[in-house]
């Protein structure tokens, strides 16, 4: 049954906003996909996101009643976009009350809009409520005429607070009945069932409680309403379509590219998937670019690049060898530019960004696909189903082929990738790069020795601050000493004095600027290739720089501060490890960066979870104690006599720098905080083995630790929201789901066994007799090889007379074979392994095994009938 009228998506959006405007709601424009003042999320994912400051009282809303159509982007399902339902970009229609109306009005508005404004059949709409919400059912009965027993109560109808505490409340979801043809066939099928019959279209959230950290809920002084309804899903229902991709929102894009490629949408799954990917991803990319997101290798830019590369790949699968995203972009802009006017004003910029990135990636894709196709073919012949990590890395490192694209293509063809092997190859390459960099510096060492003899050692002023003045005493370009450099040359600059810390003792070198009267030199790294000489590696970004010029040296302050936090934390970590595990613990290496710290130490065993918690607690106690960090220069023997720790394998001068903080005292030349309190926060994120007797701790401090905790908190909130539970009950919900999944798997396994038994009973009665031998060679319906083998055993037990049984099971991209020969026939010339080999070869594969039991298979499904016919011929020719 279709709806009375078929509105376009544009008309639906307009009617929604106009309806709520007529009810006193202020129309609020969609906010950017880049969230404002919310670093905890990367992109805008819901209509209520821009309303949060109003609900929390941080900002004054433009009205107590608001409505919007919010553009949203969700990244969790990128890899499965291409099915009939999943999207990355979508529009969320919503109406909001900030301390104004509540349940009665929200339900009234929703019912009136659905049944009177867009005229959905009332009998197809079904509300659900939370079991503890007694008000909502009474309003649904009063307003829509639903008897109490017709209103479904679902535990999932609860919106929990984003964190451990905050506003929360029950919600009421409105489902649309798509018809029994979409159902599971059960008489009690109703909203909440996992089948496709009942489709959720609108969620009304009633925020009426405040939940404290103990889980105690008290009524809010002012209640709020937050609703959300996906425009794409509503359009699908209103227009009577089977999929969101059949609506007017997408069909213009799909039909255009179907015509362009000579394909017909709706006839072939593979083609349909690629057309849907292009339609969704084109919309997503246009809106990301319009909101200022540019392709890059991190953050939002990485998401942009990943979506674009996936779209380009599916374009290639359709035969689109020329750039096509700019065409798709213009279609999206034409369809949606009237409402989202930024698309029209940003059109040239959007097209330029997409065209440039698509051209850059196309050649990479062509080369990578050829190499990957060849690799998969070789592995398939060798019957290897896991792509080695070094091969995945070679595609990534040598040809720029994205790892996630390799993984997706591999999965489509029945392969997996060795992720651990890839990570190991990546780490080895990084180590080789560092070694090569050090080797390349050797080319300059002779000249640098001469510079050191000529001008003397560099005076390091970085302990006192991050700025200072210096004079350029030498410049190098391509290994040759020069008198001047000009933009945009890359070069090495040496000063007589510098505040830039040179990489040493695990602490990486500083970055920043050398500001001269006529130029700006960007320092990308600072090292000490020759003892006593600090070398600034970088490029002249503006103007020119000459030997003898005076410069103002400025280290990037935040980067240095973050590095100092991590370096001071390594000292506290070292001390905490020795206190906990014993003085036999020795530091065996470290890496101190702005983003993290890495600390290697001697230990014959890994740390337990409880021990790691004790380490974190002790380090953070010392941080809160805010001990001063003192440094003293003294003779090395005197320093060692005071108990200062010297690092294993490190060479020291006669005079050493001793760094003390609390009970920690070490020899160290690095930069540190003024007091331990400046570290802010310490957090261990990983403890692993790196070699025999050597363990590694990776940790975060300060801003990085805070960001990590925010991400983890956001992840927990997201999971809780997706599961529609409170965060403090998330673990229990997951355990419940695991139990349910285990139960369902057992039920599925039981069903599969029962189905196999039914097939066996039928097949036993259908055997063909030849010279006293029962021959059964047929295709069967089983989920996997295990059940196929079990069917073979069942057949053996059921058939009492001599028999040959060959069962073939189509499993995704291959056909599996199970061959059983009654033992007495093996002495009469029949061999199960040889039968499996003959049938497998006909299927384009192979087979083999024992005389009485064998397995095989192949890929050529078109030859299945002919392959099974070989069985009778084989028996006739070989039976003695």
């Amino acid at each position: 049954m279709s709806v009375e009228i078929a509105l376009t998506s544009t008309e639906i959006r307009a009617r929604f906003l106009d309806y709520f405007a007529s009810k006193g709601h202020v129309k609020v424009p969609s906010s950017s996909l880049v969230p404002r003042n919310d670093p905890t999320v990367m992109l805008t994912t819901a209509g209520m996101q821009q309303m949060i400051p109003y609900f929390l009282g941080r900002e004054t809303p433009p009205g107590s009643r608001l409505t919007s159509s919010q553009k949203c982007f969700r990244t969790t399902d990128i890899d499965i976009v291409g099915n009939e339902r999943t999207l990355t970009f979508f529009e969320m229609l919503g109406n909001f009350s900030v301390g104004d109306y509540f349940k009665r009005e929200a339900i009234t508005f929703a019912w009136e809009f659905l049944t009177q404004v867009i005229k959905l059949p009332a009998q197809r709409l079904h509300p659900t409520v939370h079991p503890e919400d007694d008000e909502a059912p009474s309003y649904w009965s009063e307003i829509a005429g639903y008897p109490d027993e017709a209103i479904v109560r679902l535990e999932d109808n609860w919106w929990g607070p984003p964190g451990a505490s905050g506003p929360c409340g029950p919600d009421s979801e409105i489902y649309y009945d798509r018809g029994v043809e979409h159902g599971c066939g059960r008489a009690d099928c109703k909203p909440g069932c996992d089948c496709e019959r009942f489709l959720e279209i609108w969620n009304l959230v009633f925020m009426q409680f405040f939940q404290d950290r103990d889980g105690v809920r008290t009524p809010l002084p002012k209640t709020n309403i937050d609703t959300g309804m996906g425009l794409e899903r509503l359009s699908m229902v209103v227009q009577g379509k089977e999929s969101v991709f059949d609506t007017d929102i997408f069909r213009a894009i799909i039909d255009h590219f179907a015509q362009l490629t000579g394909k017909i949408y709706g006839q072939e799954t593979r083609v349909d998937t690629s057309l849907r990917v292009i339609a969704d991803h084109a919309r997503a990319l246009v809106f990301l670019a319009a909101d200022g997101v540019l392709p890059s290798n991190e953050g939002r830019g990485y998401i942009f690049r990943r979506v674009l590369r996936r779209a380009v790949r599916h374009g290639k699968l359709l035969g689109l060898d020329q750039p096509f995203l700019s065409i798709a972009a213009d279609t999206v802009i034409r369809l949606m530019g009237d409402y989202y006017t930024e698309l029209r004003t940003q059109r040239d910029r959007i097209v330029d960004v997409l065209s440039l990135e698509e051209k850059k990636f196309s050649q990479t894709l062509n080369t990578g696909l050829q190499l990957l196709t060849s690799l998969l073919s070789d592995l398939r012949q060798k019957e290897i189903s896991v792509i080695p990590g070094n091969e995945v890395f070679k595609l990534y490192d040598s040809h720029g082929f994205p790892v996630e694209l390799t993984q997706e293509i591999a999965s489509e063809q029945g392969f997996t990738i060795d992720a651990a092997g890839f990570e190991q190859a990546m780490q080895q390459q990084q180590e080789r790069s560092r070694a090569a960099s050090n080797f390349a510096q050797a080319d300059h060492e002779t000249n640098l020795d001469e510079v050191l003899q000529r001008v003397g050692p560099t005076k390091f002023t970085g302990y006192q601050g991050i700025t200072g003045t210096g004079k350029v005493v030498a410049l190098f370009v391509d290994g040759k000493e020069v008198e001047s450099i000009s933009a945009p040359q890359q070069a090495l600059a040496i000063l007589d004095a510098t505040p830039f810390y040179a990489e040493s003792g695990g602490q990486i070198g500083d970055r920043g600027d050398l500001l001269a009267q006529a130029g700006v030199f960007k320092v990308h790294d600072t090292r000490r290739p020759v003892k006593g000489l600090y070398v600034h590696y970088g490029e002249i970004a503006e103007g020119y720089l000459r030997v003898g010029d005076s410069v103002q040296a400025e280290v990037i302050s935040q980067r240095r501060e973050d590095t100092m936090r991590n370096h001071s934390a390594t000292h506290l970590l070292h001390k905490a490890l020795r206190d906990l595990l014993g003085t036999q613990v020795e530091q065996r290496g470290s890496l101190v960066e702005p983003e993290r710290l890495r600390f290697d130490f001697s230990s014959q065993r890994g740390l337990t979870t409880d021990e790691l918690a004790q380490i974190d607690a002790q380090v953070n106690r010392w941080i809160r104690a805010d001990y001063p960090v003192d440094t003293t220069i003294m003779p090395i023997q005197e320093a060692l006599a005071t108990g200062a720790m010297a690092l294993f394998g490190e060479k020291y001068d006669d005079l050493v720098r001793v760094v003390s903080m609390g009970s920690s005292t070490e020899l160290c030349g690095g930069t540190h905080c003024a007091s331990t309190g400046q570290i802010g926060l310490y957090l261990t994120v990983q403890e692993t083995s790196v070699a025999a007797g050597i363990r590694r701790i990776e940790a975060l401090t300060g801003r990085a630790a805070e960001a990590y905790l925010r991400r983890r908190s956001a992840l927990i909130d997201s999971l809780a929201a997706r599961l529609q539970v409170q965060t403090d009950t998330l673990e229990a919900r997951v355990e419940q789901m695991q139990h349910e999944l285990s139960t369902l798997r057992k039920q599925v396994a039981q069903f599969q066994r029962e189905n196999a038994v039914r097939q066996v009973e039928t097949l036993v009665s259908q055997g063909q007799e030849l010279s006293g031998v029962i021959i059964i060679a047929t295709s069967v319906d089983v989920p996997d090889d295990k059940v196929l083998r079990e069917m073979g055993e069942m057949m053996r037990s059921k058939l009492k007379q001599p028999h040959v049984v060959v069962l073939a099971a189509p499993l995704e991209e291959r056909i599996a074979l199970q061959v059983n020969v009654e033992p007495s026939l093996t002495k009469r010339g029949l061999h199960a392994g040889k039968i499996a080999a003959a049938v497998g070869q006909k299927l384009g594969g192979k087979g083999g095994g024992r005389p009485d039991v064998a397995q095989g298979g192949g890929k050529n499904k078109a030859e299945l009938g002919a392959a099974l016919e070989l069985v009778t011929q084989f028996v006739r020719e070989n039976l003695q």
Side-chain angles (χ1 to χ4, degrees):
M1 175 179 177
S2 61
V3 294
E4 294 180 14
I5 58 174
L7 300 169
T8 67
S9 57
T10 298
E11 290 171 333
I12 294 171
R13 185 199 301 115
R15 290 196 181 192
F16 181 89
L17 297 175
D18 289 344
Y19 169 78
F20 280 100
S22 72
K23 302 298 181 181
H25 292 67
V26 176
K27 292 183 182 180
V28 180
S30 172
S31 63
S32 170
L33 285 175
V34 179
R36 178 176 65 92
N37 298 329
D38 189 354
T40 64
V41 290
M42 194 172 295
L43 293 164
T44 298
T45 61
M48 75 160 295
Q49 220 157 307
Q50 68 166 314
M51 309 297 172
I52 291 176
Y54 307 147
F55 289 149
L56 297 179
R58 295 172 182 167
E59 297 181 15
T60 302
S64 60
R65 298 185 176 194
L66 308 170
T67 187
S68 69
S69 180
Q70 173 66 49
K71 49 191 177 183
C72 302
F73 194 107
R74 293 183 183 173
T75 62
T76 51
D77 297 323
I78 288 176
D79 291 334
I80 63 171
V81 170
N83 60 24
E84 294 186 345
R85 190 75 57 79
T86 308
L87 303 172
T88 55
F89 174 87
F90 60 96
E91 290 183 73
M92 186 70 80
L93 303 174
N95 58 287
F96 310 89
S97 166
V98 185
D100 189 340
Y101 61 82
F102 201 43
K103 294 181 186 180
R104 178 193 295 275
E105 294 85 348
I107 292 172
T108 300
F109 293 153
W111 184 252
E112 188 174 288
F113 175 76
L114 292 175
T115 59
Q116 298 182 31
V117 178
I118 59 173
K119 301 187 183 304
L120 290 179
Q123 66 271 22
R124 288 211 167 190
L125 298 174
H126 299 270
T128 64
V129 298
H130 190 268
E132 296 179 6
D133 186 353
D134 296 326
E135 293 178 299
S138 65
Y139 292 139
W140 277 114
S141 297
E142 174 189 334
I143 295 163
Y146 280 99
D148 186 73
E149 61 273 13
I151 300 172
V152 180
R153 272 96 171 152
L154 298 175
E155 288 289 344
D156 289 345
N157 284 146
W158 184 273
W159 188 86
S165 65
C168 62
D171 59 55
S172 181
E173 297 175 358
I174 304 173
Y175 285 78
Y176 182 81
D177 184 357
R178 301 176 66 204
V180 294
E181 64 273 17
H182 295 281
C184 58
R186 297 202 311 265
D188 63 344
C189 183
K190 58 187 177 182
C193 180
D194 291 335
C195 71
E196 295 292 316
R197 176 175 176 178
F198 292 95
L199 179 71
E200 179 200 340
I201 59 173
W202 205 344
N203 188 14
L204 316 177
V205 179
F206 312 129
M207 287 190 280
Q208 64 185 98
F209 300 107
F210 182 87
Q211 178 175 296
D212 65 21
R213 295 186 179 275
D214 295 324
V216 177
R217 295 172 187 158
T218 55
L220 288 169
K222 286 187 177 181
T223 55
N224 301 312
I225 288 292
D226 156 33
T227 84
M229 177 163 54
L231 175 61
E232 292 79 6
R233 189 172 287 194
L234 181 61
S235 298
M236 171 184 137
V237 168
V238 171
Q239 295 171 15
K241 304 298 183 182
E242 292 296 309
S243 161
V244 292
F245 289 99
D246 293 327
T247 65
D248 67 313
I249 298 172
F250 292 101
R251 281 309 295 263
I253 307 173
I254 289 175
D255 290 344
H256 177 86
F257 282 98
Q259 182 180 14
L260 193 64
T261 57
K263 310 292 184 183
I264 299 177
Y265 182 64
Q267 289 193 351
E268 186 178 349
T269 301
R270 180 185 62 83
V271 170
D272 292 352
T273 296
S274 293
L275 287 169
R276 289 193 288 257
V277 167
I278 290 175
D280 171 82
H281 288 7
R283 286 209 318 160
L285 292 166
V286 166
F287 277 89
L288 286 173
D291 282 345
V293 179
L294 298 175
S296 70
N297 289 326
E298 58 185 16
R300 303 180 186 98
Y302 173 74
I303 293 172
F304 185 104
R305 181 163 282 170
R306 182 179 174 191
V307 171
L308 181 141
R309 289 176 171 182
R310 194 167 186 266
V312 172
R313 184 215 162 204
H314 280 275
K316 297 289 185 187
L317 293 177
L318 293 175
L320 293 169
D321 293 325
Q322 299 299 320
F324 63 89
L325 283 176
S326 60
I327 300 173
D330 277 330
T331 304
V332 173
I333 293 168
R334 176 173 53 81
L335 288 171
M336 307 187 74
D338 288 342
Y339 183 75
Y340 295 102
T341 56
E342 68 270 21
L343 302 186
R344 295 193 185 280
T345 59
Q346 297 287 328
R347 186 265 171 195
D348 292 344
R349 179 176 176 276
I350 293 169
V351 170
D352 287 346
V353 170
L354 294 180
S355 298
L356 179 61
E357 185 68 15
E358 183 176 8
K359 289 175 183 176
K360 286 169 58 179
F361 181 60
S362 289
Q363 184 57 47
T364 295
L365 181 62
N366 288 334
T367 303
L369 284 174
Q370 292 173 7
L371 294 171
L372 181 56
T373 300
S374 176
L375 173 61
L376 293 180
S377 178
D378 291 343
L379 293 175
R380 192 176 287 111
Q381 290 181 2
K382 298 174 183 176
E383 296 188 340
I384 299 173
S385 61
V386 180
I387 305 177
N390 64 315
E391 295 290 349
V392 178
F393 178 75
K394 188 186 300 181
L395 284 168
Y396 167 78
D397 187 55
S398 301
H399 305 285
F401 201 72
V403 178
E404 65 273 3
L405 201 50
T406 300
Q407 192 164 17
E408 182 176 339
I409 295 171
S411 177
E412 290 173 356
Q413 301 196 31
F415 290 81
T416 58
I417 69 170
D418 176 14
F422 170 79
E423 292 297 335
Q424 183 179 7
M426 175 75 82
Q427 185 174 354
Q428 291 172 348
Q429 172 63 11
Q430 291 170 345
E431 291 171 354
R432 286 194 297 270
S433 297
R434 284 193 290 269
S437 176
N438 293 336
F439 178 79
Q441 293 174 37
D443 293 341
H444 308 308
E445 284 185 2
T446 301
N447 290 336
L448 294 178
D449 283 333
E450 294 175 358
V451 172
L452 180 61
Q453 293 175 10
R454 187 172 72 241
V455 304
T458 307
K459 180 181 180 182
F460 176 61
T461 61
Y463 293 136
Q464 290 75 43
I466 57 172
T467 62
T469 58
K471 185 175 72 173
V472 180
V473 295
L475 296 168
F476 284 85
V477 174
D478 295 331
K480 297 180 181 179
E481 190 169 3
V482 297
E483 287 298 310
S484 65
I485 55 175
S486 57
Q489 282 182 300
Q490 293 186 344
L492 279 63
I494 303 171
L495 310 180
D496 63 348
T498 181
F500 282 74
Y501 182 84
E503 180 175 336
S504 178
Q507 179 176 331
I508 66 170
D510 281 333
R511 298 178 185 174
D513 297 327
L514 304 180
L515 308 174
Q517 185 173 358
V520 176
F521 186 91
K522 293 286 185 182
V523 179
H524 299 316
D525 196 7
T526 309
R527 300 183 187 177
R528 220 169 18 176
V530 174
K531 186 177 180 179
L533 206 62
Y534 285 59
V535 180
H536 307 83
Y537 295 74
E539 61 182 341
I540 181 77
E542 299 174 21
Y544 60 90
L545 188 65
R546 297 174 300 189
V547 173
D549 284 352
S550 294
V551 298
Q552 175 72 14
E554 296 183 353
V555 175
I556 298 175
S557 61
Q558 185 168 277
R559 191 171 183 275
R560 165 73 82 84
E561 290 166 3
D562 288 342
T563 302
M564 290 192 303
R565 292 186 183 98
N566 284 330
H567 201 158
S568 295
T570 63
H571 286 221
L572 298 180
L573 172 60
H574 192 182
K575 175 62 176 170
L577 285 168
R578 288 170 66 89
D579 286 352
L580 180 66
L581 303 180
T583 55
Q584 74 277 8
V585 171
E586 294 180 332
Q587 180 176 340
R588 294 299 178 91
S590 68
L591 175 65
V592 180
E593 300 176 305
E595 298 84 7
R596 61 173 180 145
L597 69 89
R598 191 179 73 203
F599 189 84
D600 296 346
F601 60 100
S602 58
S603 178
Q604 296 301 316
R605 65 172 180 84
L607 275 68
T608 65
T609 301
D610 182 63
E611 287 172 333
L612 288 172
Q614 291 181 55
I615 292 292
D616 281 27
Q618 181 60 75
V619 173
N620 281 302
R621 276 195 294 269
W622 288 333
I623 290 172
R624 290 191 297 272
D626 198 23
Y627 295 120
V629 177
D630 298 321
T631 59
T632 308
I633 306 297
M634 65 177 68
I636 185 168
Q637 294 303 324
E638 180 180 340
L640 295 176
T642 65
M645 281 189 290
L647 302 187
F648 176 85
E650 189 77 13
K651 295 181 179 179
Y652 294 95
D653 294 330
D654 291 335
L655 286 177
V656 293
R657 188 167 179 262
V658 180
V659 178
S660 301
M661 54 187 84
S663 59
S664 168
T665 305
E666 287 189 30
L667 308 185
C668 181
T671 60
H672 287 274
C673 300
S675 67
T676 59
Q678 292 181 357
I679 299 172
L681 174 66
Y682 170 91
L683 183 67
T684 297
V685 294
Q686 189 174 34
E687 192 269 348
T688 57
S689 171
V690 291
I694 305 296
R695 307 294 298 183
R696 170 173 293 171
I697 281 179
E698 295 186 53
L700 305 172
T701 67
R703 298 185 312 117
E706 293 170 2
Y708 177 86
L709 292 176
R710 282 197 300 271
R711 289 194 301 271
R712 294 294 290 267
S713 177
L715 174 61
I716 292 172
D717 292 342
S718 174
L719 291 173
R722 292 185 68 177
L723 297 178
Q724 296 185 334
V725 297
Q726 303 164 47
T727 53
D728 57 354
T729 62
L730 179 60
E731 183 178 9
R733 176 59 176 148
V734 171
E735 290 176 354
Q736 178 189 359
M737 292 175 68
Q738 288 176 323
H739 176 73
E740 293 170 353
L741 180 60
S742 175
T743 301
L744 289 172
R745 283 174 173 165
K746 292 177 182 177
Q747 293 173 353
V748 169
Q750 179 63 28
F751 171 82
Q752 291 168 347
R753 283 192 292 272
E754 293 171 356
N755 183 50
V757 169
R758 287 192 294 270
Q759 291 185 74
V760 167
E761 295 291 344
T762 302
L763 293 174
V764 165
S765 64
Q766 296 177 352
Q768 171 190 354
E769 184 172 350
L770 176 65
S771 301
V773 176
I774 299 298
I775 302 172
I776 298 175
T778 186
S779 175
V780 295
D781 177 23
V782 297
D784 53 40
D785 297 88
K786 179 182 177 183
V787 178
L788 181 64
R789 289 193 296 271
E790 292 175 353
M791 280 193 72
E793 291 301 317
M794 292 181 200
M795 297 287 286
R796 179 192 293 274
S797 64
K798 290 285 184 181
L799 293 166
K800 302 304 180 183
Q801 63 269 55
H803 60 268
V804 174
V805 175
V806 179
L807 304 179
L811 301 176
E812 297 182 350
E813 295 184 0
R814 65 186 178 92
I815 295 174
L817 293 174
Q818 176 67 29
V819 181
N820 290 75
V821 173
E822 199 269 327
S824 68
L825 297 178
T826 62
K827 300 175 182 179
R828 299 177 57 189
L830 298 184
H831 191 291
K834 293 180 180 179
I835 296 175
V839 177
Q841 185 178 10
K842 186 67 174 176
L843 293 172
K846 58 184 180 179
R850 304 198 313 263
D852 61 331
V853 180
Q855 289 82 33
K859 300 282 188 179
N860 194 347
K861 295 184 178 182
E863 292 295 326
L864 178 57
L868 291 174
E869 290 176 359
L870 290 176
V871 177
T872 301
Q873 179 182 342
F874 186 96
V875 173
R876 182 179 291 112
E877 293 175 352
N878 292 278
L879 184 65
Q880 298 173 3

